[in-house]
Amino acid sequence: MHTRVLSRIDVEKILTIQDTLTSVREAYMMFNQGKVVQPPIMSIDVPEYNGEVDIKAGYSPNKEIISVKTAGGFWNNPKQYNLPTGLAVISLYDAKSGFPVCIMDGTLITEYRTGAAGGVSAEVLARQDSSVVGVIGAGRQAQMQVVALKEILPIQTVKVWSRLKEQAIFYKKIMEELLGIEVLPCSSAEKAVVDSHIVVTTTPSKKPIVMNKWIKPGTHIIAMGADMQGKQELEEAIFTRAKIVVDSLQECIKRGETQSPIKLELIEKSDIHAEIGEILLGRKAGRVNDDEVTIFDSTGMSIQDITTAYMVYKKATEREIGSKIRLI
Amino acid sequence: MHTRVLSRIDVEKILTIQDTLTSVREAYMMFNQGKVVQPPIMSIDVPEYNGEVDIKAGYSPNKEIISVKTAGGFWNNPKQYNLPTGLAVISLYDAKSGFPVCIMDGTLITEYRTGAAGGVSAEVLARQDSSVVGVIGAGRQAQMQVVALKEILPIQTVKVWSRLKEQAIFYKKIMEELLGIEVLPCSSAEKAVVDSHIVVTTTPSKKPIVMNKWIKPGTHIIAMGADMQGKQELEEAIFTRAKIVVDSLQECIKRGETQSPIKLELIEKSDIHAEIGEILLGRKAGRVNDDEVTIFDSTGMSIQDITTAYMVYKKATEREIGSKIRLI
């Protein structure tokens, strides 16, 4: 028996944002239908090298697949090794035998499925006439979020702010070429946020960057940066006036943007409106009027990796992409 | 940058039981020197297919390596898919960047490092004139335990008992050819145990197979089977008269053979003499006379995978074994 190996280049041939939006939608619904086994994330800190490794595993009885993703976050990588901060490997195992059917680059899948998460949230939580996005941070995820939003909404203008001015300029160049939209680097976070219909936060910040008074009625906020204890991008007060939606309640109150207002007792668990899968399944409402402020807080779930990686694996098999090795 | 891929056949070219004894000794010492980060094991049950997947990960700051092992135990495999029950994949990541430096078959490494664990225990806990081994179970681990013991002690005779008679006969054939020793299939567990200097248990049993009254003074017992809640191979009373040594106190009282006597309150945590690394480091005594009954209880630790897999990876690099792929 053989194991399929898919390099980043192989995955790149297959992965599209449209397909990823479909697989992430499916993932969220499966999660809230109880159709997935997801043990708590395993984390290893590597303080010596300013890094961490997260292991996210899950089992989909429907797809008869177990997925294990090892994802590194090493903040010295770009400067010291000319490598991206985030590198990931996903392996898929046949749930009938434990046989490793596929080992693939997980870096691209993580980027796409995280981008698609924001897009899926915008379908049910953003005003459908939203055309201006304010983006905090100008890294890879700041790109992916807008790529996904552009599939969902009539986005015309992106206002971007980064701590590093050059990075915002680089972002403008890349995104204007890629999507043919207008990108305006801003001199402050405030300028990027004010009058944006959608606000996306993508930094590893540990204190608030986006202030409550900047947020106008009708805004949808996609809080992607916070995924560990201590991380925060939004002033907590925003939560007291917003409809709060999370991917996983359990994870977000512990490690997501929602951790801070919960800790300060500005909101309680019961103030969280829904997990996004509940909305997609029609069990709870999404946006109900044009004035609501909505927040989508996501820390990322293994089931997004499973559905996306499985989709890539199936297409690779059909199209005979990648190499086949005798591993075991 | 490239990722080295080592198939089972590649690993087989490199792995020896001597080297594995060295790497497991090193692993146990590193564990008790606090030189390893080992998060709790992550487990996914697959009851639909009589299987489970365990994920054992760890970080060795010394070696600057993070290891992630995904190991399946699927009990229908031999009959339904002509595959071994246990299949494993190990991936190694550079702790400086999170880059995946090597992906390898972990099945053989798991077999060897588990076998070597018993051997290392025998060095410090068995009578050094031990020549007769009683083995309960006749599967792959029953082989590996004796292969390792033969490196350490003057083993001449193996008495083996298996629930399946044919398997004991197959075991005899394999082991006599492999090691040139005498193997006697026994008609009962009692016959295999009585008068053996070393007793090795390797089954997935959930009730005691080895009785207290069969155990003579001076016996060393290697309890390898129990590694999950509910598993048991030894009558609990043996623990009340034995010097008890474990690999990891925390894991063994929860998931090892030691769980039963602890649960029945026949022994307390403080009755456990040592973790094996403490003995190897000279912090505690091993066997001190010829009459002691000693028990080594092991549930297996990630650090054994790290040291052994890293050794294999280094040798593969030196000898240019395996293939190099551009994964990420």
Side-chain angles (χ1 to χ4, degrees):
Chain A
M1 286 173 77
H2 289 87
T3 302
R4 189 170 291 271
V5 177
L6 300 174
S7 70
R8 184 183 168 106
I9 291 162
D10 297 327
V11 174
E12 209 156 19
K13 285 180 200 156
I14 297 168
L15 203 58
T16 68
I17 193 69
Q18 292 91 338
D19 284 343
T20 313
L21 284 161
T22 303
S23 67
V24 169
R25 248 179 242 122
E26 184 192 11
Y28 286 148
M29 290 192 277
M30 284 170 66
F31 175 66
N32 284 96
Q33 288 170 315
K35 288 185 181 169
V36 57
V37 179
Q38 280 187 140
I41 293 163
M42 188 191 274
S43 270
I44 296 177
D45 276 328
V46 188
E48 297 85 344
Y49 296 110
N50 197 16
E52 60 174 283
V53 170
D54 281 349
I55 300 161
K56 290 183 178 175
Y59 164 39
S60 162
N62 279 21
K63 298 191 189 295
E64 300 188 322
I65 279 286
I66 289 159
S67 155
V68 180
K69 179 169 85 170
T70 307
F74 286 77
W75 308 99
N76 304 343
N77 274 3
K79 278 196 183 164
Q80 291 202 358
Y81 304 109
N82 196 25
L83 282 171
T85 306
L87 292 171
V89 176
I90 296 176
S91 34
L92 298 179
Y93 300 84
D94 182 342
K96 298 192 288 300
S97 65
F99 190 87
V101 293
C102 189
I103 293 170
M104 60 178 96
D105 167 57
T107 315
L108 213 59
I109 288 174
T110 303
E111 290 172 2
Y112 271 66
R113 66 85 156 155
T114 307
V120 169
S121 83
E123 282 183 307
V124 291
L125 293 171
R127 285 179 55 152
Q128 293 307 297
D129 57 356
S130 300
S131 60
V132 181
V133 185
V135 180
I136 303 299
R140 182 70 173 142
Q141 204 35 238
Q143 294 175 16
M144 289 309 305
Q145 289 295 324
V146 173
V147 166
L149 285 171
K150 181 80 166 49
E151 295 291 321
I152 305 293
L153 298 169
I155 305 300
Q156 291 181 339
T157 305
V158 175
K159 296 190 290 175
V160 63
W161 175 79
S162 167
R163 218 164 30 91
L164 306 166
K165 202 182 159 189
E166 322 81 74
Q167 203 163 353
I169 290 164
F170 178 70
Y171 181 87
K172 173 186 169 72
K173 187 172 172 300
I174 294 280
M175 295 299 281
E176 288 189 341
E177 266 176 33
L178 188 68
L179 299 180
I181 54 177
E182 178 189 43
V183 177
L184 308 171
C186 298
S187 59
S188 70
E190 181 173 359
K191 285 183 185 159
V193 169
V194 169
D195 293 330
S196 287
H197 306 134
I198 296 184
V199 173
V200 184
T201 62
T202 66
T203 76
S205 173
K206 296 196 171 177
K207 45 190 175 205
I209 300 173
V210 174
M211 297 302 150
N212 185 31
K213 64 181 174 197
W214 304 345
I215 303 292
K216 300 245 163 88
T219 308
H220 176 49
I221 303 172
I222 300 171
M224 297 307 299
D227 61 354
M228 281 178 68
Q229 278 190 20
K231 285 193 183 173
Q232 182 180 6
E233 300 180 279
L234 305 180
E235 188 182 11
E236 296 89 347
I238 305 173
F239 280 81
T240 63
R241 55 187 273 236
K243 178 178 262 183
I244 308 159
V245 176
V246 295
D247 56 3
S248 156
L249 185 63
Q250 195 190 322
E251 293 295 330
C252 285
I253 60 173
K254 217 168 50 189
R255 309 187 302 119
E257 192 64 42
T258 309
Q259 66 183 297
S260 302
I262 287 270
K263 209 185 295 163
L264 292 179
E265 297 182 358
L266 288 175
I267 59 165
E268 294 174 24
K269 239 166 131 174
S270 58
D271 293 320
I272 296 168
H273 171 66
E275 289 179 327
I276 182 114
E278 296 179 284
I279 298 176
L280 297 173
L281 289 165
R283 294 180 189 165
K284 290 194 179 166
R287 170 178 292 272
V288 292
N289 63 53
D290 282 352
D291 293 331
E292 281 183 309
V293 171
T294 51
I295 297 176
F296 177 57
D297 179 16
S298 165
T299 60
M301 297 199 291
S302 178
I303 183 66
Q304 294 166 259
D305 300 320
I306 301 179
T307 56
T308 310
Y310 185 69
M311 179 267 290
V312 169
Y313 164 61
K314 290 302 269 185
K315 295 205 170 188
T317 306
E318 281 162 27
R319 293 164 54 185
E320 296 194 359
I321 289 173
S323 50
K324 283 165 76 176
I325 61 166
R326 211 180 159 85
L327 182 66
I328 282 188
Chain B
M1 286 173 78
H2 289 87
T3 302
R4 189 170 291 271
V5 177
L6 300 175
S7 70
R8 184 183 171 107
I9 291 163
D10 297 327
V11 174
E12 208 155 19
K13 285 180 200 157
I14 297 167
L15 202 58
T16 67
I17 192 68
Q18 293 91 336
D19 284 343
T20 312
L21 284 161
T22 304
S23 68
V24 169
R25 249 180 241 119
E26 185 192 10
Y28 287 148
M29 290 193 278
M30 284 169 67
F31 175 66
N32 284 95
Q33 288 170 316
K35 287 186 180 167
V36 57
V37 178
Q38 281 186 139
I41 292 163
M42 188 191 277
S43 271
I44 296 177
D45 277 328
V46 188
E48 297 85 345
Y49 297 110
N50 197 17
E52 59 174 282
V53 170
D54 281 347
I55 300 161
K56 290 183 177 176
Y59 165 38
S60 162
N62 279 20
K63 299 191 189 296
E64 300 188 321
I65 279 287
I66 289 159
S67 156
V68 180
K69 180 171 85 171
T70 306
F74 285 77
W75 308 99
N76 303 343
N77 274 4
K79 278 197 183 161
Q80 291 203 357
Y81 304 108
N82 196 27
L83 283 172
T85 306
L87 292 171
V89 176
I90 296 176
S91 34
L92 298 180
Y93 299 84
D94 182 342
K96 297 193 288 303
S97 65
F99 190 87
V101 293
C102 189
I103 293 170
M104 61 177 94
D105 168 57
T107 315
L108 213 59
I109 287 173
T110 303
E111 289 172 2
Y112 271 65
R113 66 85 155 155
T114 308
V120 169
S121 84
E123 283 182 306
V124 291
L125 293 171
R127 284 179 55 152
Q128 294 306 296
D129 57 357
S130 300
S131 60
V132 181
V133 185
V135 179
I136 303 299
R140 183 70 175 143
Q141 203 35 237
Q143 295 175 16
M144 290 309 305
Q145 289 294 325
V146 173
V147 167
L149 284 171
K150 180 82 165 48
E151 294 291 320
I152 305 293
L153 299 169
I155 305 301
Q156 290 179 339
T157 305
V158 175
K159 297 191 289 177
V160 62
W161 175 78
S162 168
R163 217 162 33 86
L164 306 166
K165 203 181 157 190
E166 323 80 73
Q167 204 162 353
I169 290 164
F170 178 71
Y171 182 87
K172 174 186 168 71
K173 186 172 172 299
I174 294 279
M175 294 300 281
E176 288 189 342
E177 267 178 31
L178 189 68
L179 299 179
I181 54 177
E182 178 188 43
V183 177
L184 307 171
C186 297
S187 57
S188 71
E190 182 174 359
K191 285 184 183 155
V193 168
V194 169
D195 293 329
S196 286
H197 306 133
I198 296 185
V199 173
V200 184
T201 62
T202 66
T203 76
S205 173
K206 295 196 169 177
K207 45 191 173 200
I209 301 173
V210 175
M211 297 302 150
N212 184 31
K213 62 182 176 197
W214 304 344
I215 302 292
K216 300 247 164 84
T219 307
H220 176 48
I221 304 172
I222 300 172
M224 296 309 297
D227 61 352
M228 280 176 67
Q229 278 189 21
K231 286 194 183 173
Q232 181 179 6
E233 301 181 277
L234 305 181
E235 188 182 12
E236 295 90 348
I238 305 174
F239 279 82
T240 62
R241 56 188 273 237
K243 178 178 262 182
I244 309 159
V245 176
V246 295
D247 55 4
S248 156
L249 185 62
Q250 196 190 320
E251 294 293 333
C252 285
I253 60 173
K254 216 166 52 188
R255 307 187 303 118
E257 192 64 43
T258 309
Q259 68 184 295
S260 302
I262 288 271
K263 210 184 293 165
L264 292 178
E265 296 183 359
L266 289 175
I267 60 164
E268 295 174 23
K269 238 166 132 174
S270 60
D271 293 320
I272 296 167
H273 171 66
E275 288 178 328
I276 184 113
E278 295 179 285
I279 298 176
L280 297 173
L281 288 165
R283 294 179 189 166
K284 290 194 179 166
R287 171 177 290 273
V288 292
N289 64 53
D290 283 352
D291 294 330
E292 280 183 311
V293 171
T294 50
I295 296 176
F296 177 57
D297 178 17
S298 164
T299 59
M301 297 199 291
S302 178
I303 182 67
Q304 294 166 258
D305 300 320
I306 301 178
T307 56
T308 309
Y310 185 69
M311 180 267 290
V312 169
Y313 165 61
K314 290 302 268 186
K315 294 205 171 189
T317 307
E318 281 162 28
R319 293 164 53 186
E320 296 194 359
I321 290 174
S323 50
K324 283 165 76 177
I325 60 166
R326 210 180 160 86
L327 182 66
I328 282 187

